[in-house]
């Protein structure tokens, strides 16, 4: 068990390191010179050289990479002398455009992205799993076909199309919801809620369609298992057969996928946040792209990868707890 | 064929049993108008090759036919007509008075629960007011009765921690905890090695003599059936070929198919020569 | 046994180990010895049966001999050549002399290939000419194994289990092998079909004179077809000898246990059945006259 | 626009399931003819294919259609918009008229029909090319990893895990934003495929691993087949239905991805039209000129839906035919 954990953690560290390296290489090769950007319009080659030296951009690749990685753990300082900029311990980089460490920028916006992710996750989990169950129970009947039709539609509608349509319908035409406006929960819970409602729905529609299909397929498959037949042969009530012998095996794989999807969402819902003007990580990333603020893009990429990798590991551990075949080895 | 006396001593009385599937091509019958009886405490073997309908017969008795299958005819268990019994009443018989053992013990046990839980679960759902602790005790006792050593510890193990033969013992323990009047065993030893098979067959015999339960053994193996059961039903393509006392069928079979089947079984202590096969191609060989 | 001819196949001290368990960053992989110091010989024209229960290593031994697996230790000599050193043309030649029939007839035939393609595959893979053209060659082989030659364009799923196994046999015959390894070749078949296939295998051997290495768990079947028998348990051969000796006077404890565990039909019943059968035939003849 | 990795998971679970039970020896393997027949009986599948064909025809015949309608995708028609209202199209429903069949863009008065028609070209080219590329990569790597196992599998699997753990959308955007604007369409194909192939490869790998255990593979080996022959002659034919289903289901994802990237402004470079980009530029207008948003939105949604439904149906037909083989 401990060895298993160690293996997982090591694997995770390796993947994260590779993500770092890969991202760094891409940006190192592709990005326009940050020094030129910082320098602005009226710039002389001397100033640029000065800046490059200050930022360590004249160093070879590996040395720059090392500075970056060590910055993650011990922080780093950009430049020297009185103009030096300090970037504290988990230093994901520094945005010269906004004059802020990337980590702080992300930390400010994480609550918004987390709220979006958590709300959407609850919604799609509830809707997806229950629709999937109904579909499986009524397999081949009208309800099943109706739900299947809905899921196909849900999967097909791009979320910005859905987002804009909803906004047009609910806010502009029908006026059921007030125009989105960022307010803290403590100030106006109703406005806060209605503010997040549409992003939640938009994100949940596509995902719950996928979860519906998954649940349906798993339940139908599990119901054909021999042990379900055994349970019925024991004379258990249908409720008990369902609860104990069909649902648990059928829903366990969903844990895996849920963990991954949720973790992926924490790194920012780019399109949805942009469409609804929510000031989360996703929107920040989209804005940074428009402004070409490389350190921010890189920071967000790393953070999102970090969430996915962590999510992956949590799922693995959960699986170990849920599935006795993984938890206790074979003794036979 | 159905000359058997209509005594009330019969535990199970099956008449005109037909199991059919609705397919796009119409109704396909996999069991056709089957008649047989099982005496109280008797052991009946249902023998046939693949596709003979023997497994469907057992599922029809249990009322566990797969989706899309339908049954007609009469199945009388201890004077109760099972085919018309409401599902709730059938459920109280299933597992309690009629228990079933399946072919593949690994896939027949739920990997997510300990064997103790799975043995106790039937007991708790059939006996009201049983505490968790009492049910656990019953499970341990049942496991001891099927000779699983160290039952008090093994009760908390999961199915994948047992070997094939041990898993089948767990399955049998599961049926035993309820003290059923009828045990239906569908190919209980087919997935097992021959030495383990011998142990399981011994165990079944032991349980029968201990509890006096009736047994229906469904198998393709004539040698197995000859050792365990006193009465035999031979099936082919859903039809009943012949039935009677085991000794009578093994010594004086009336039908060509039964004769061919008996000739085709390789013996361990018989002359060696060309194994006799039916000269006409069997149904399996036609296409 | 002393004046026996040079064996066709000779395996000496075969060992095969598999890695088990996760070989992760911190895990050392445990090794499981599936075949442990196995030596055996198959002579021309005879049938050596390798029997054992699941996990005894008999199928692994077969795969080592067919060179479907690499050995961990030991040597295999076939017709004087060291099997695990063969490559290129010599390996193709070996593949043409040793063929395998598998347990599950459906799994051993590619569902997407027609019978013709399946049966001629060994020749195609070995880049050999198909004598008389693929179509006629297939038809001839199908007839030899008792299949309708008009079905050569059909796919495996259109045949029954017994017929599919016959296709597998036809494929093995296509290259004219000297040794056929039959790995549980009749275990998955119904008893009536099993009898037919056993008879077919015996008949073909009489005609062609090749050898069988017959892998099985069913001793009753083995007794019908074997010349000699080797019993395996836990990766080792625990007893080897002429068929009648192994069945009649087993020396090893495990062999004895195995033999006694076999369910059998009461011999006295069998005798009475034959008696009744004779009487019945006599009656029928009388009636016919 | 999340990647439908979970959806692929479903396919994997369904398709990877071993066929258990007794094989019924009557039905021939799913032949092309039977597939087509089953298909023709399926109205939904038929309707979807018709729509997809229409879009493809539209894309192919774009120059012709534009000649018919009279307005090119890049021509401005200032007479169709009202400069006093900030460039709002004149007339109802965003300026729908005999002149401009789907109305005009607010502001500069470009013909929406022409832009939809040309946008179809971009969307279909990118989605289809990306599908072809991911399929080839996914099948080849999946086969290699699944068949050879061991080190080969380890390397390929790690790369796949790595790519799947990557926040692909953010990264695609980052890379595309940093890349020069020339040849944007091919860059899009490249970037989408680079992150897309592991989803197919993972399923192919799983199926190859189970097919590899089938005895016909051993039999081919015993017959003298080389690994390459086994992979491509014995295993690959058995994956055909999986590949067909997976690629059909992948197309809508790529149509959506292309549109999404263009929506975020890193896709096709203006003035080249693309549906996603049209939707993006309709955002500031959607309250006053909803038609500008509705036309490309509806076309995009229907195209993705058609491919999704089609994939779903093909999968069902393939499964019912293959279940026994």
């Amino acid at each position: 068990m401990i060895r298993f954990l160690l293996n997982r953690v090591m694997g995770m560290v390796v993947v994260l390191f590779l993500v770092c390296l890969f991202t760094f290489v891409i940006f190192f090769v592709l990005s326009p010179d940050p020094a030129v950007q910082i320098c602005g319009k009226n710039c002389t080659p001397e100033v640029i050289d000065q800046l490059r030296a200050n930022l360590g951009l004249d160093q070879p690749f590996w040395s720059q990479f090392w500075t970056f990685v060590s910055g993650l753990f011990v922080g780093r300082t950009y430049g020297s002398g009185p103009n030096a900029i300090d970037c504290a311990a988990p230093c994901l980089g520094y945005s010269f455009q906004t004059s802020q460490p990337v980590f702080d920028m992300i930390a400010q916006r994480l609550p918004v992205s987390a709220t979006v992710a958590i709300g959407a996750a609850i919604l799609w989990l509830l809707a997806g799993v229950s629709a999937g169950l109904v579909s499986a129970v009524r397999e081949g009947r009208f309800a099943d076909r109706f739900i299947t039709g809905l899921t196909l539609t849900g999967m097909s509608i791009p979320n910005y199309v859905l987002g804009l349509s909803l906004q047009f319908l609910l806010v502009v035409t029908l006026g059921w919801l007030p125009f989105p406006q960022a307010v803290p929960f403590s100030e106006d819970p109703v406005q806060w809620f209605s503010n997040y409602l549409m992003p939640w729905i938009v994100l949940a529609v596509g995902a719950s369609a996928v979860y519906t299909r998954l649940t349906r397929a798993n339940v139908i498959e599990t119901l054909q298992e021999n042990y379900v037949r055994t349970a019925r042969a024991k004379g258990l009530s249908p409720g008990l057969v369902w609860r104990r012998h069909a649902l648990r095996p059928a829903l366990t794989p969903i844990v895996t996928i849920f963990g991954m999807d949720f973790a992926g969402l924490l790194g920012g819902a780019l399109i949805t946040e942009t469409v609804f003007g929510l000031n989360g990580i996703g929107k920040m990333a989209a804005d940074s792209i428009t402004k070409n603020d490389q350190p921010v893009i890189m920071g967000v990429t790393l953070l999102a990868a970090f969430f996915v990798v962590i999510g992956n590991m949590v799922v693995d551990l959960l699986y170990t707890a849920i599935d006795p075949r993984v938890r206790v080895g074979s003794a036979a | 064929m159905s000359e058997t006396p209509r005594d009330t001593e019969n535990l199970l009385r099956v008449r005109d049993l037909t199991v059919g599937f609705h397919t796009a091509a119409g109704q396909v019958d996999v069991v056709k108008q089957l008649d047989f009886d099982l005496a109280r405490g008797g052991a009946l073997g249902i023998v046939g090759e693949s596709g003979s309908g023997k497994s469907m017969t057992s599922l029809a008795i249990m009322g566990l036919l797969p989706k899309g299958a339908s049954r007609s005819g009469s199945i009388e268990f201890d004077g109760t007509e099972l085919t018309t019994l409401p599902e709730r009443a059938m459920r109280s018989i299933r597992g309690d008075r009629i228990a079933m053992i399946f072919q593949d013990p690994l896939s027949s046990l739920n990997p997510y629960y300990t064997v103790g839980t799975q043995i106790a679960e039937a007991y708790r759902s059939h006996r009201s007011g049983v505490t968790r602790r009492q049910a656990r005790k019953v499970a341990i006792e049942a496991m001891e009765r099927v000779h699983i050593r160290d039952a008090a510890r093994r009760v908390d193990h999961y199915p994948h921690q047992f070997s094939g033969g041990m898993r089948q013992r767990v399955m049998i323990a599961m049926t035993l905890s309820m003290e059923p009047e009828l045990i239906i065993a569908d190919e209980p030893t087919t997935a097992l090695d021959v030495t383990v098979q011998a142990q399981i067959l011994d165990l079944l015999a032991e349980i029968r003599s201990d509890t006096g339960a009736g047994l229906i053994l469904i198998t393709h193996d004539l040698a197995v059936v000859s050792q365990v059961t006193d009465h035999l039903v031979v099936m082919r393509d859903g039809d009943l070929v012949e039935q009677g006392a085991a000794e009578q069928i093994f010594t004086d079979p009336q039908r060509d198919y039964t004769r061919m089947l008996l000739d085709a079984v390789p013996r361990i202590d018989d002359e060696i020569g060309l194994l006799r096969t039916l000269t006409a191609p069997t149904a399996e060989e036609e296409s | 046994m002393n004046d026996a001819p040079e064996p066709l196949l000779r395996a000496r001290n075969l060992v095969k180990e598999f890695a088990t368990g996760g070989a992760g960053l911190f895990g050392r992989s445990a090794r499981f010895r599936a075949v442990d110091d196995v030596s055996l010989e198959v002579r021309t024209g005879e049938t050596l049966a390798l029997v054992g229960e699941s996990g005894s290593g008999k199928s692994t031994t077969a795969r080592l001999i067919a060179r479907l697996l690499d050995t961990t230790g030991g040597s295999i000599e076939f017709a004087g050549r060291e099997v695990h050193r063969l490559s290129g043309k010599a390996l193709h030649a070996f593949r043409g002399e040793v063929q395998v029939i598998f347990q599950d007839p459906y799994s051993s035939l590619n569902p997407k290939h027609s019978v013709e393609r399946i049966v001629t595959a060994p020749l195609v893979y070995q880049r050999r000419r198909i004598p008389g053209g693929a179509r006629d060659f297939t038809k001839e082989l199908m007839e030899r194994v008792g299949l309708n030659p008009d079905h050569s364009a059909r796919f495996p799923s259109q045949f029954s289990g017994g017929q599919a196994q016959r296709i597998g046999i036809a494929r093995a015959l296509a290259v004219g092998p000297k040794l056929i390894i039959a790995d549980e070749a009749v275990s998955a078949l119904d008893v009536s079909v099993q009898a037919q296939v056993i008879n077919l295998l015996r008949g073909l051997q009489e005609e062609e004179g090749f050898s069988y290495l017959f892998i099985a768990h069913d001793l009753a079947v083995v007794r019908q077809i074997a010349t000699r028998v080797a019993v395996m348990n836990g990766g080792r051969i625990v007893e080897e000898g002429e068929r009648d000796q192994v069945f009649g006077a087993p020396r090893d404890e495990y062999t004895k246990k195995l033999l006694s565990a076999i369910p059998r039909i009461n011999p006295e019943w069998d005798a009475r059945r034959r008696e009744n059968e004779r009487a019945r035939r006599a009656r029928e003849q009388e009636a016919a006259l | 626009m999340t990647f439908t990795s979970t959806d692929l998971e479903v396919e994997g679970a369904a398709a990877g399931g071993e066929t258990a039970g007794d094989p019924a020896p009557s039905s021939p393997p799913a032949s092309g003819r039977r597939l087509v027949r089953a298909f023709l009986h399926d109205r939904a599948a038929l309707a979807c294919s018709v729509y997809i064909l229409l879009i493809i025809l539209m894309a192919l015949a774009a120059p012709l259609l534009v000649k018919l309608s009279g307005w090119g995708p890049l021509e401005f028609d200032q007479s169709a918009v009202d400069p006093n209202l900030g460039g709002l199209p004149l007339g109802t429903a965003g300026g729908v008229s005999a002149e401009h069949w789907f109305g005009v863009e607010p502001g500069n008065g470009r013909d929406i029909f022409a832009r939809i028609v040309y946008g179809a070209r971009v969307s279909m080219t990118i989605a289809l090319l990306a599908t072809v590329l991911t399929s080839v990569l996914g099948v080849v790597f999946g086969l290699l990893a699944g068949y050879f196992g061991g080190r080969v599998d380890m390397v390929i699997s790690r790369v796949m895990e790595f790519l799947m753990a990557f926040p692909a959308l953010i990264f695609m955007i980052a890379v595309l934003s940093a890349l020069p604007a020339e040849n944007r369409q091919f860059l899009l194909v490249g970037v989408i495929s680079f992150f897309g192939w592991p989803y197919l490869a993972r399923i192919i790998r799983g199926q190859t691993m189970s097919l590899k255990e089938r005895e016909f593979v051993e039999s081919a080996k015993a017959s003298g087949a080389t690994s390459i022959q086994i992979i491509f002659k014995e295993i690959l034919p058995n994956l055909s239905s999986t590949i067909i289903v997976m690629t059909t289901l992948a197309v809508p994802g790529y149509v959506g991805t292309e549109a999404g990237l263009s929506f975020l402004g890193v896709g096709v470079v203006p003035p080249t039209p693309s549906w996603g980009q049209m939707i993006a530029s309709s955002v500031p207008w959607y309250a006053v000129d909803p038609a500008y948003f509705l036309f490309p939105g509806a076309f995009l949604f229907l195209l993705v839906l058609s491919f999704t439904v089609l994939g779903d149906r093909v999968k069902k037909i393939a499964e019912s035919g293959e279940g026994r083989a």
Side-chain angles (χ1 to χ4, degrees), chain B residues 162-201:
Chain B
F162 290 81
S163 66
M166 281 296 162
R167 281 181 206 131
Q168 198 58 293
R169 282 175 195 269
V170 169
M171 283 297 287
I172 295 173
M174 201 182 287
T175 66
L176 273 184
S177 66
M178 304 308 301
E179 314 237 326
E181 293 149 65
L182 173 60
I183 298 173
I184 302 177
D186 186 0
E187 303 269 12
T189 58
T190 306
L192 306 175
D193 273 328
V194 58
T195 47
V196 183
Q197 163 171 286
Q199 295 162 8
I200 296 291
L201 291 178

Side-chain angles (χ1 to χ4, degrees), chain D residues 57-68 113-114 117-118 121:
Chain D
L57 277 179
M58 193 169 98
L60 289 175
L64 206 74
L65 285 172
V66 165
K67 237 178 228 153
L68 271 176
F113 175 75
V117 168
Y118 271 90
R121 279 196 147 180

Side-chain angles (χ1 to χ4, degrees), chain A residues 238-302:
Chain A
L240 219 54
V241 172
W242 259 88
R243 262 203 321 280
R244 298 181 57 99
H245 294 282
L247 283 193
R248 184 164 163 192
L251 296 186
T252 304
I254 292 183
V255 170
T256 322
I257 290 153
F258 178 72
M260 300 291 291
D261 285 351
F262 182 69
L265 207 51
L266 273 182
L270 250 83
I271 291 176
T272 310
E273 285 176 13
T274 308
V275 167
F276 292 105
L278 287 168
N279 202 11
I281 299 172
K283 183 163 184 298
M284 178 178 79
D287 291 347
S288 307
I289 288 159
T290 324
K291 294 186 296 184
N292 215 345
D293 195 351
Q294 297 291 351
V296 179
I297 304 173
M298 193 160 146
V300 173
T301 310
L302 280 180

Side-chain angles (χ1 to χ4, degrees), chain D residues 6-321:
Chain D
T6 36
D7 181 43
L8 303 174
E9 213 87 41
V10 186
E11 320 306 338
E18 264 304 294
T19 48
D22 49 339
S26 52
S27 62
S31 64
R33 223 177 317 142
R34 255 195 46 209
L35 260 162
V36 170
R37 206 176 319 133
F39 194 81
L40 289 178
H41 281 285
D42 192 330
R43 260 174 298 164
L46 218 54
C48 292
S49 338
V50 168
Y51 180 76
I52 292 168
L53 276 180
L54 272 180
I55 297 290
I56 292 177
L57 277 179
M58 193 169 98
L60 289 175
L64 206 74
L65 285 172
V66 165
K67 237 178 228 153
L68 271 176
S69 76
W71 290 93
L74 306 178
E75 288 173 60
F76 299 95
D77 182 5
Q78 292 299 346
S79 68
V81 293
D82 184 352
N84 299 327
L85 284 172
L88 212 63
L90 292 163
T92 49
V96 174
S97 63
E99 182 83 349
H100 297 287
W101 297 351
F102 289 173
V104 293
E105 281 186 7
N108 50 33
R110 283 186 295 199
D111 186 58
I112 290 182
F113 175 75
R115 292 185 71 76
I116 291 266
V117 168
Y118 271 90
R121 279 196 147 180
V122 175
S123 293
M124 290 304 267
T125 317
I126 290 177
L128 293 180
L129 278 182
T131 306
V132 170
L133 196 56
T134 44
S135 302
V136 171
L137 288 173
V139 168
V140 169
F141 282 115
L143 278 170
L144 292 179
Y147 182 76
F148 287 107
R151 287 241 164 86
V152 177
D153 180 32
M154 196 151 98
V155 171
I156 295 177
S157 290
R158 284 296 104 74
V159 170
M160 291 190 328
E161 266 168 39
F162 170 66
L163 286 177
M164 288 193 287
F166 227 74
L169 186 60
I170 295 180
F171 199 77
M172 279 192 222
I173 292 166
V175 171
L176 287 168
S177 70
L179 285 169
E182 301 101 59
N183 293 326
R184 184 45 65 88
Q185 306 197 11
F186 295 103
L187 283 175
L188 271 170
V189 171
V191 170
I192 292 174
S193 306
F194 182 70
F195 286 103
W197 67 267
Y199 296 93
L200 175 62
R202 187 173 50 169
I203 287 155
I204 296 288
R205 171 179 171 269
Q207 293 208 350
T208 306
M209 278 165 66
S210 80
L211 280 170
K212 187 179 76 168
E213 298 303 318
R214 298 276 288 270
E215 286 169 342
F216 67 78
V217 170
E218 275 197 307
S219 170
K221 205 173 162 192
S223 298
T226 61
S227 298
I228 296 300
Q229 281 172 325
I230 291 176
I231 292 175
F232 290 101
K233 287 190 171 175
E234 300 282 339
I235 294 179
L236 189 57
N238 285 287
L239 293 171
S240 56
S241 54
T242 308
I243 295 170
I244 292 172
V245 169
M246 293 297 301
T247 43
T248 324
L249 282 169
V251 182
Y254 298 141
V255 171
T257 309
E258 182 276 320
L261 289 171
S262 297
F263 175 81
L264 286 170
V266 294
V268 181
V269 189
T272 314
S274 129
W275 294 354
Q277 190 197 72
M278 290 173 78
I279 295 169
S281 50
S282 78
V283 171
W285 299 91
Y286 78 94
V288 283
D289 182 10
Y292 183 27
F293 159 72
L294 281 177
F295 278 112
F299 268 92
L300 176 63
F301 166 61
L302 286 179
L303 184 64
V304 178
L305 181 68
S306 295
F307 271 115
T308 311
V309 172
L310 195 66
D312 188 62
R313 293 308 161 102
V314 169
K315 180 175 152 236
K316 273 206 186 106
I317 294 170
E319 265 169 16
S320 66

Side-chain angles (χ1 to χ4, degrees), chain C residues 15-285:
Chain C
V15 174
K16 177 66 186 175
E17 287 181 343
F18 292 106
T20 58
L25 234 55
F26 291 90
R28 16 161 236 275
S29 65
R31 298 188 76 74
F32 166 70
R33 193 169 269 220
V35 174
D36 188 2
D37 197 23
V38 163
S39 301
L40 55 84
E41 288 179 5
V42 181
R43 293 174 212 135
T44 307
E46 78 163 0
T47 300
L48 173 70
L50 206 52
V51 295
E53 296 184 292
S54 51
S56 63
K58 55 186 192 304
S59 281
T60 309
T61 307
R63 279 166 173 70
L64 292 176
I65 291 170
R67 210 183 143 174
L68 292 171
L69 286 175
D70 290 326
T71 53
T72 309
S75 71
I76 302 166
E77 246 177 62
F78 180 81
R81 286 163 294 172
E82 174 58 45
V83 170
H84 281 261
R85 291 226 192 90
L86 299 176
S87 63
K89 270 222 167 87
L91 181 59
H92 271 167
F94 169 76
R95 299 274 186 223
E97 290 176 350
V98 177
Q99 276 290 303
V100 187
I101 304 171
F102 295 92
Q103 171 171 10
D104 180 345
Y106 290 110
S107 162
S108 69
L109 306 177
N110 194 327
K112 296 281 177 177
H113 291 176
S114 68
V115 175
E116 183 176 311
R117 187 159 172 197
I118 289 169
V119 168
T120 53
L123 290 166
V124 174
Y125 285 138
Q126 290 164 29
R127 300 211 189 90
R128 281 160 63 174
R129 215 177 49 79
I130 302 170
R135 176 65 46 85
D136 290 339
F137 181 74
T138 307
K139 292 192 168 188
E140 192 202 312
L141 273 172
M142 286 180 80
E143 255 173 65
R144 273 178 65 195
V145 297
L147 288 169
N148 184 346
D150 295 337
H151 294 169
S152 64
R154 290 194 176 184
F155 290 87
S157 60
Q158 291 169 281
F159 293 91
S160 68
Q163 290 171 326
Q165 196 58 301
R166 286 169 194 263
I167 299 172
I169 295 171
R171 169 175 57 193
L173 293 178
V175 288
K178 290 182 180 164
L179 173 68
I180 291 184
I181 299 174
D183 185 11
E184 300 272 14
V186 298
S187 310
L189 305 176
D190 270 330
V191 60
S192 59
V193 183
Q194 185 182 58
Q196 293 169 1
V197 173
I198 291 173
N199 289 341
L200 173 68
L201 288 174
R202 280 202 302 223
L204 288 169
Q205 187 177 37
E206 272 164 36
E207 289 167 26
E208 306 282 331
F210 46 63
S211 315
Y212 284 123
L213 178 60
F214 194 87
I215 317 290
H217 69 277
D218 188 335
L219 283 161
V221 166
V222 161
R223 187 165 168 273
Q224 297 294 322
I225 201 165
T227 323
R228 287 185 306 121
V229 178
V231 182
M232 280 190 81
N233 184 28
R236 290 172 167 275
I237 290 184
V238 295
E239 175 159 9
E240 190 193 345
E242 296 296 319
R243 176 191 59 201
D244 292 341
Q245 178 259 307
V246 172
F247 281 90
R251 285 188 289 257
D252 183 77
E253 276 311 307
Y254 178 74
T255 315
K256 286 178 193 162
K257 188 176 148 204
L258 211 54
L259 280 168
S260 69
I262 296 169
R264 51 194 88 200
I265 297 169
N266 190 338
E268 192 253 331
W269 284 0
D270 264 345
R272 272 164 62 195
R273 180 167 61 90
R274 274 193 291 274
E275 197 61 41
N276 286 330
E277 184 99 334
R278 259 195 295 279
R280 191 179 56 85
R281 270 209 215 98
R283 271 201 311 279
E284 272 171 13
Q285 265 168 5

Side-chain angles (χ1 to χ4, degrees), chain B residues 14-131:
Chain B
V14 172
R15 285 296 173 273
D16 209 22
L17 178 65
T18 299
V19 177
F21 280 88
H22 296 286
T23 66
Q27 174 96 1
V28 177
D29 288 342
V30 292
V31 176
K32 301 164 198 159
Q33 299 176 330
L34 195 63
D35 295 339
F36 66 84
D37 299 302
L38 173 67
R40 227 169 263 282
L44 173 78
I46 301 182
V47 200
E49 298 188 290
S50 49
S52 62
K54 54 189 193 304
S55 286
M56 280 301 154
T57 306
S58 65
L59 292 177
I61 297 170
M62 290 295 282
L64 290 178
L65 286 172
K67 254 188 196 165
S70 61
R71 62 179 181 184
S72 64
S74 146
I75 302 168
E76 227 179 275
F77 171 70
D78 199 21
T80 312
E81 176 57 48
L82 297 186
T83 49
T84 54
L85 208 59
E87 174 59 24
R88 183 176 287 272
M90 186 64 218
R91 214 158 55 224
S92 68
I93 292 180
R94 221 183 270 146
D96 190 3
R97 300 182 62 197
I98 309 179
M100 190 151 178
I101 302 166
F102 297 98
Q103 172 173 352
D104 177 10
L106 180 58
S107 69
S108 297
L109 290 165
N110 192 326
Y112 286 90
Y113 301 101
T114 64
V115 296
T117 312
Q118 296 187 61
I119 296 171
E121 160 180 79
Y123 190 75
R124 291 190 72 194
S125 81
H126 285 292
R127 309 275 187 276
S128 52
V130 179
T131 64

